[in-house]
């Protein structure tokens, strides 16, 4: 099972949309996907029509239960979605308290890795949708991922946030001697606006080949799909957003193939 995280400390840049759309595309290609929602706001679950406030168990229970119960409990936490080949590990509001409760406990950074290890034969891909908060949850996500996808909204302020996010990645890379392969993905690109075009140029100057050589365009169909509670590839397979994410998925798969 490959584990990819979608992360950026800035909010509203397209993280959840990226995770959902890549999951939808992978599912259509016959891959089994587990989506991991580590955002206490549960946007991923709600986007899939799952009311995370009503569930008996969530990722929070896996973080707080004794390790010997993890594998058994994981099977209970996992929710089927209405999309074939996509399951979900849902979040809950309680996750927001984890930093305070457990943040300093030894081994806290590797819990998600252990959870996913227990189901690695059941799925081809795990996609981890991060919250915009840098804390123990993001540390867990980065520690178990072979690839980090960093969506960045194509505008000036998002670019400032990006510098911070990459610094964070580098600091964490040093502290746990992990090597992160990250790809910066310009999202919500509007080629008619100067701000989008300029932001993209700045990103490419600063981060060079770390920036994906294509862009995800603005597409209002993303909102329509989330209102219908399904990923866009299942809702409007020919939309330009889906075509763009299809190219992104091809890039990610070929990058990973060339590394192994
Ligand atoms: N390419 C796009 N075109 C148009 N709208 C988009 C696009 N990508 C995302 N959106 C919309 O932008 C909003 C924010 O996207 P999303 O929820 O994916 O961001 P996020 O980074 O996960 O936010 P948060 O940090 O709050 O978790 C959503 O309403 C989503 O539908
Ligand atoms: Mg989100």
């Amino acid at each position: 099972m490959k584990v990819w995280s979608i992360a950026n400390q800035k909010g509203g840049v397209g993280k959840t949309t990226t995770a959902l759309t890549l999951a939808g595309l992978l599912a259509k290609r016959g891959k089994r996907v587990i989506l991991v929602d580590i955002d206490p706001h549960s946007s991923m679950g709600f986007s899939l029509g799952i009311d995370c406030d009503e569930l008996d168990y969530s990722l929070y229970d896996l973080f707080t239960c004794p390790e010997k119960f993890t594998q058994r409990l994981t099977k209970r936490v996992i929710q089927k979605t209405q999309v074939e080949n996509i399951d979900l590990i849902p979040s809950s509001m309680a996750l927001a308290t984890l930093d305070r409760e457990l943040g300093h406990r030894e081994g806290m950074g590797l819990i998600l890795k252990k959870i996913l290890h227990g189901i690695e034969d059941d799925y081809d891909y795990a996609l981890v949708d991060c919250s915009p908060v840098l804390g123990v949850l993001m540390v867990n996500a980065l520690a178990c991922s072979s690839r980090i996808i960093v969506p960045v909204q194509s505008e000036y302020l998002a670019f400032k946030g990006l510098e911070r996010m990459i610094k964070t990645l580098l600091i964490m890379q040093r502290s746990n001697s992990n090597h992160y392969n990250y790809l910066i993905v310009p999202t919500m690109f509007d080629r008619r606006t100067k701000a989008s075009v300029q932001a993209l140029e700045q990103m490419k100057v600063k981060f060079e080949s770390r920036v994906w050589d294509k862009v995800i365009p603005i597409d209002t169909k993303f909102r329509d799909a989330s209102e219908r509670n399904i990923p866009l590839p299942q809702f409007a397979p020919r939309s330009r957003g889906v075509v763009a994410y299809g190219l992104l998925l091809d890039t990610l798969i070929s990058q990973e193939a060339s590394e192994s």
Side-chain angles (χ1 to χ4, degrees):
M1 180 173 78
K2 295 201 184 310
V3 184
W4 296 348
S5 276
I6 296 87
N8 191 334
Q9 281 154 276
K10 185 154 168 48
V13 295
K15 294 182 290 293
T16 303
T17 305
T18 299
L20 266 176
T21 311
L22 290 176
L25 284 162
L26 283 164
K28 286 192 98 170
R29 294 184 189 184
K31 304 292 184 198
R32 299 160 303 164
V33 184
I34 182 84
L35 279 168
V36 186
D37 188 359
I38 63 170
D39 184 346
H41 291 114
S42 309
S43 334
M44 170 75 80
F46 289 119
S47 304
L48 287 161
I50 294 170
D51 186 350
C52 298
D53 295 336
E54 297 296 319
L55 300 174
D56 292 332
Y57 300 105
S58 78
L59 183 61
Y60 176 80
D61 300 290
L62 295 177
F63 265 86
T64 49
C65 77
E67 197 179 326
K68 60 180 178 191
F69 298 133
T70 304
Q71 200 164 1
R72 206 176 337 146
L73 188 58
T74 303
K75 309 266 175 204
R76 291 194 180 183
V77 171
I78 290 176
Q79 294 285 314
K80 291 247 160 282
T81 73
Q82 48 175 326
V83 181
E84 199 188 343
N85 287 337
I86 301 182
D87 290 350
L88 170 74
I89 295 185
S91 74
S92 65
M93 273 186 289
L95 279 174
T97 63
L98 267 191
D99 272 289
R100 203 176 53 229
E101 286 175 31
L102 307 168
H104 300 291
R105 198 177 286 182
E106 208 179 321
M108 254 324 270
L110 294 173
I111 294 186
L112 186 57
K113 194 172 189 165
K114 286 178 191 149
I115 295 168
L116 295 181
H117 181 66
I119 52 170
E120 68 182 352
D121 293 335
D122 301 339
Y123 300 94
D124 300 301
Y125 287 87
L127 301 184
V128 184
D129 180 24
C130 293
S131 84
V133 176
L134 174 69
V136 73
L137 286 162
M138 202 194 282
V139 171
N140 269 270
L142 299 183
C144 63
S145 298
S146 63
R147 187 155 296 276
I148 322 284
I149 301 157
V150 185
V152 185
Q153 205 175 338
S154 311
E155 58 165 38
Y156 177 69
L157 282 175
F159 169 71
K160 296 309 281 179
L162 176 62
E163 288 184 315
R164 236 181 266 158
M165 179 65 214
I166 301 303
K167 262 189 207 141
T168 304
L169 279 181
L170 296 177
I171 290 167
M172 290 183 43
Q173 181 163 297
R174 246 175 275 144
S175 68
N176 60 17
S177 61
N178 223 343
H179 179 70
Y180 296 128
N181 285 307
Y182 65 89
L183 183 67
I184 296 165
V185 177
T187 60
M188 299 182 224
F189 186 80
D190 184 351
R191 65 189 156 80
R192 293 163 307 176
T193 66
K194 223 170 141 188
S196 264
V197 176
Q198 275 177 350
L200 183 61
E201 277 168 14
Q202 283 176 322
M203 268 185 245
K204 285 189 170 160
V205 169
K206 176 102 186 160
F207 298 101
E208 300 172 350
S209 61
R210 291 295 197 169
V211 183
W212 184 43
D213 61 358
K214 300 181 181 67
V215 294
I216 304 296
I218 291 227
D219 188 342
T220 52
K221 291 223 163 52
F222 283 109
R223 202 178 41 214
D224 302 341
S226 77
E227 275 166 18
R228 293 279 296 273
N229 299 327
I230 46 174
L232 192 53
Q234 278 69 17
F235 176 67
R238 279 187 241 279
S239 58
R240 55 207 196 109
V242 171
V243 172
Y245 273 108
L247 296 173
L248 174 62
L249 182 57
D250 293 342
T251 300
L252 292 165
I253 289 172
S254 71
Q255 281 187 348
E256 206 145 62
S258 69
E259 283 153 17
S260 55

